[in-house]
Amino acid sequence: MPDAAPADVTIALDGEDGCIAGARDRTSEFLTRAQSEHGLPVTSRTMGAAQLVVSELVTNALKYAPGPVLLHLRVVDGMVEIEVWDTDPTLPLARAADAGRVGQHGLEIVLAVVQGFEARREPVGKCVTVRLALFDDPLLGLGRPAGR
């Protein structure tokens, strides 16, 4: 696997209709390009999990923070790193599991599918970073590269 990231993209989101779906689409395009142009093995599981994570994080950022949101995608050390920056300095907190609660399960879902999570305050706002393995452990027999 190449040492350098094949690509790195930052997407500004304005909260207009369709921007969450657009963020998911751009994530899919980014991972498809990493696979087709750079030969990185991206499993179907990773593709779906990345789109889910982007959807949850961008939805929360647009819901709770005034102003713009930035989505940054990059490949580092066999992982796709997803960063979402927004203007609200309040760090997200996963709530205790409650099957009776309607809604507000987004962060629980994100934490269940990622291999790494970090939330930090920035000079303006905060940045949430998650990491997902591009491919599953072949010894476990999990997943196949997407599109193959």
Side-chain angles (χ1 to χ4, degrees), residues 36-122:
S36 66
E37 293 178 11
H38 302 281
L40 295 176
V42 179
T43 65
S44 298
R45 179 195 164 286
T46 298
M47 185 72 75
Q51 290 174 312
L52 173 66
V53 166
V54 164
S55 187
E56 293 295 337
L57 295 179
V58 168
T59 296
N60 285 346
L62 292 170
K63 182 176 181 179
Y64 297 111
V69 170
L70 296 176
L71 170 63
H72 186 202
L73 305 167
R74 72 176 153 253
V75 173
V76 180
D77 298 327
M79 308 283 268
V80 59
E81 196 169 83
I82 301 166
E83 289 184 342
V84 176
W85 171 88
D86 66 51
T87 59
D88 183 356
T90 306
L91 297 179
L93 244 119
R95 299 176 67 180
D98 178 359
R101 182 175 71 237
V102 176
Q104 298 185 341
H105 294 280
L107 190 54
E108 290 174 60
I109 293 167
V110 168
L111 293 174
V113 300
V114 301
Q115 284 76 44
F117 175 87
E118 176 188 8
R120 67 184 181 281
R121 286 189 179 88
E122 296 285 326

Side-chain angles (χ1 to χ4, degrees), residues 9-34:
V9 64
T10 300
I11 303 147
L13 304 167
D14 57 10
E16 294 295 318
D17 286 343
C19 86
I20 296 167
R24 283 192 305 267
D25 291 345
R26 294 289 301 272
T27 300
S28 177
E29 291 165 8
F30 175 80
L31 290 173
T32 298
R33 193 173 68 246

